[in-house]
């Protein structure tokens, strides 16, 4: 009997020791954020260059997001401007449908005109529901068609927990996102300088200064390094915020959905940022568009091509773990024309301890057409002449 009790006791102690061992069942701080809690119903802290999630709470839970919706609306607008489909000087005329929007608005009258720039800033700064509809109708022909564009773009971004039913986030059925999906939308928007510019505007005057807009994202004043963001609130969604902050070369995105009381979306976002900047640092090796090499070009109008990075070569690591990274530029010695600007011609590989940590495409910085037969003949003759 004594031996049986002793065996059971030793077995129990072995299990306890195993569970207490520091080498087992340890949470990865890069994924779970030990000691970090938030009252948000769902939250994500992300590094946008790589998409690495530093902290998450129910990241895929589908929730209403109120006016945070407008980040996708603005993304489609700035993409249209960058693609040349719209100009900031374009005149937008408000319809009766736009005029009928409630909630946050700039009180557009049917038939009233404003420039696209004024409308876009009114969306970013004043969270104007009527401006969202006016621009959507101008770009897509109707709000419904624009919403289809929003959902199509969400699918292109690989989002599985997002569906839009309107352009502005006013309460409606079948309109939801997740904290992770919204972080991905903001990540895409941050690639556009125009989005960052309007999103970081704190005050804007319209109608000749008769109407003043103040940005609803108070982090622009309360938290150093804030570069973008959009707030949201409805009874259904509670308080929501998707924002971005950059300090010491490290850019972070925080999304909080469903925080309970006024200003709690700011408080909870700051909590996430404080954790992120205290625990992590950036290893910035190259900026986007940095020239890192050249390639000889055959049968082209030019004989040499500069190669640049397609994206920033930047990693986020735990503080104190920023040493020991190696880089390798992988390029062909020779490439034949024609070459289009943006064509992938190589890769930039970052390794640490023999393992690949990051890979970024290297692309052509210009278009080089194929040379004509006559041009190629002249080049051969010129090279023969030089040899003699």
């Amino acid at each position: 009997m004594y031996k049986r009790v002793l065996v059971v006791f030793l077995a129990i102690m072995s299990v306890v020791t195993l569970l207490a061992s520091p080498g087992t069942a340890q949470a990865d701080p890069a994924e779970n954020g030990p000691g970090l809690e938030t009252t948000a119903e769902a939250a994500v802290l992300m590094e946008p260059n790589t998409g690495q999630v530093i902290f998450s709470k129910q990241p895929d839970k589908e929730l209403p997001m109120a006016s945070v919706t407008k980040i996708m609306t603005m993304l489609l607008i700035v993409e249209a401007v960058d693609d040349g489909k719209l100009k900031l000087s374009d005149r937008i005329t408000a319809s009766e449908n736009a005029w009928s929007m409630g909630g946050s608005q700039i009180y557009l009258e049917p038939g009233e005109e404003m420039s696209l720039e004024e409308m876009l800033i009114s969306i970013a700064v004043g969270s104007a529901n009527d401006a969202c509809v006016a621009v959507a109708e101008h770009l897509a022909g109707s709000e419904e068609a624009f919403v289809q564009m929003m959902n199509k773009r969400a699918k292109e971004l690989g989002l599985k927990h997002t569906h839009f039913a309107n352009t502005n986030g006013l309460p409606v059925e079948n309109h939801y996102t997740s904290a992770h999906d919204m972080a991905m939308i903001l990540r895409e928007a941050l690639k556009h300088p125009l989005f960052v510019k309007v999103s970081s505007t704190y005050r804007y005057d319209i109608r000749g200064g008769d109407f003043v807009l103040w940005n609803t994202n108070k982090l622009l004043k309360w938290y150093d390094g804030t570069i973008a963001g959009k707030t949201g609130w409805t009874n259904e969604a509670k308080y929501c915020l998707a924002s971005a902050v950059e300090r010491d070369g490290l850019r972070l995105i925080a999304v909080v959905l469903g925080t309970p009381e006024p200003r709690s979306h700011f408080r909870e976002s700051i909590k996430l940022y404080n954790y992120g900047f205290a625990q992590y640092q950036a290893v910035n090796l190259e900026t986007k568009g940095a020239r890192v090499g050249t390639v000889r070009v055959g049968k082209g109008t030019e004989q040499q091509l500069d190669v640049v990075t397609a994206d920033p070569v930047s990693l986020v690591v735990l503080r104190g773990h920023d040493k020991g990274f190696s880089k390798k530029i992988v390029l062909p010695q020779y490439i034949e024309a024609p070459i289009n600007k943006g064509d992938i011609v190589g890769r930039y590989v970052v390794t640490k301890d023999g393992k690949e940590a990051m890979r970024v495409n290297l692309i052509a910085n210009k278009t080089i057409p194929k040379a004509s037969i006559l041009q190629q003949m002249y080049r051969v003759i010129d090279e023969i002449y030089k040899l003699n």
Side-chain angles (χ1 to χ4, degrees):
M1 182 68 179
Y2 172 79
K3 288 184 178 180
R4 184 179 300 173
V5 171
L6 180 60
V7 168
V8 172
F9 174 78
L10 290 174
I12 293 173
M13 289 303 296
S14 297
V15 172
V16 170
T17 302
L18 180 63
L19 292 175
S21 171
T24 62
Q26 292 296 299
D28 182 354
E31 295 181 359
N32 302 306
L36 180 60
E37 297 181 356
T38 176
T39 60
E41 196 165 346
V44 159
L45 182 66
M46 175 185 289
E47 192 281 318
N49 284 337
T50 61
Q52 179 180 339
V53 174
I54 294 173
F55 170 84
S56 66
K57 175 184 177 180
Q58 300 201 85
D60 296 327
K61 185 173 183 178
E62 296 172 355
L63 295 166
M65 64 293 203
S67 285
V68 177
T69 298
K70 297 180 174 86
I71 293 177
M72 177 61 96
T73 301
M74 289 188 284
L75 172 60
L76 294 186
I77 295 171
V78 299
E79 286 181 336
V81 172
D82 288 348
D83 291 342
K85 297 176 183 177
L86 293 177
K87 294 185 292 185
L88 291 176
S89 59
D90 288 349
R91 304 300 294 179
I92 312 295
T93 302
S95 66
E96 288 197 13
N97 184 37
W99 164 78
S100 69
M101 292 296 110
S104 302
Q105 56 187 302
I106 53 173
Y107 303 98
L108 291 168
E109 292 290 336
E112 183 177 1
E113 280 191 3
M114 284 188 181
S115 69
L116 174 63
E117 183 175 24
E118 290 176 302
M119 291 277 193
L120 178 58
I121 296 176
S122 296
I123 296 168
V125 178
S127 196
N129 296 325
D130 46 0
C132 287
V133 175
V135 178
E137 292 174 337
H138 181 85
L139 177 57
S142 69
E143 184 183 12
E144 292 76 16
F146 190 89
V147 170
Q148 289 180 1
M149 292 171 58
M150 296 169 74
N151 286 316
K152 180 182 177 184
R153 193 71 181 95
K155 288 183 179 179
E156 290 172 350
L157 293 172
L159 310 184
K160 301 183 183 301
H161 302 284
T162 295
H163 186 269
F164 297 103
N166 61 32
T167 61
N168 45 40
L170 287 169
V172 65
E173 289 185 4
N174 206 28
H175 188 88
Y176 56 83
T177 192
S178 68
H180 184 267
D181 280 6
M182 186 50 65
M184 293 297 289
I185 296 171
L186 180 52
R187 179 191 185 197
E188 191 68 21
L190 289 172
K191 296 177 182 179
H192 300 270
L194 177 57
F195 172 83
V196 176
K197 178 182 177 181
V198 299
S199 186
S200 61
T201 300
Y202 193 69
R203 170 183 168 153
Y204 189 71
D205 298 353
I206 59 174
R207 300 190 179 100
D210 292 336
F211 200 94
V212 179
L213 301 174
W214 298 95
N215 202 312
T216 55
N217 179 19
K218 303 308 176 186
L219 290 188
L220 289 168
K221 290 294 183 181
W222 294 351
Y223 200 75
D224 183 48
T226 302
I227 59 170
K230 187 71 200 73
T231 61
W233 177 84
T234 61
N235 284 327
E236 296 81 2
K238 301 178 184 177
Y239 293 89
C240 306
L241 174 62
S243 59
V245 174
E246 186 169 338
R247 290 182 178 178
D248 299 324
L250 175 60
R251 178 177 289 188
L252 297 176
I253 287 173
V255 177
V256 293
L257 301 177
T259 69
E261 70 275 345
R263 297 190 174 185
S264 58
H265 48 332
F266 301 125
R267 180 194 67 220
E268 296 306 298
S269 296
I270 289 173
K271 187 185 298 183
L272 296 184
Y273 285 127
N274 285 344
Y275 172 82
F277 289 117
Q279 295 288 327
Y280 293 85
Q281 66 183 103
V283 178
N284 296 316
L285 300 176
E286 305 286 353
T287 60
K288 179 180 179 179
R291 178 183 172 278
V292 296
T294 59
V295 176
R296 289 193 302 114
V297 177
K299 299 182 181 180
T301 56
E302 298 182 42
Q303 293 179 287
Q304 187 167 287
L305 172 71
D306 285 338
V307 177
V308 300
T309 53
D311 295 295
V313 185
S314 178
L315 303 93
V316 58
V317 298
L318 286 166
R319 287 198 173 275
H321 291 72
D322 57 328
K323 308 300 181 185
F325 288 97
S326 301
K327 67 177 182 179
K328 182 180 181 182
I329 308 297
V330 182
L331 289 171
Q333 292 184 343
Y334 174 87
I335 186 171
E336 281 197 1
I339 303 163
N340 294 314
K341 182 177 181 179
D343 282 352
I344 298 173
V345 296
R347 60 188 185 275
Y348 189 118
V349 181
V350 181
T351 59
K352 184 172 184 179
D353 299 328
K355 296 181 180 179
E356 184 173 316
M358 187 180 193
R359 177 181 296 201
V360 172
N361 287 329
L362 299 178
I363 59 176
N365 77 326
K366 65 167 70 173
T367 294
I368 300 181
K370 187 172 183 178
S372 67
I373 297 296
L374 191 59
Q375 286 174 315
Q376 293 182 49
M377 288 176 60
Y378 276 131
R379 184 170 295 154
V380 171
I381 293 171
D382 185 58
E383 289 177 357
I384 293 173
Y385 177 79
K386 288 178 180 178
L387 288 173
N388 294 329

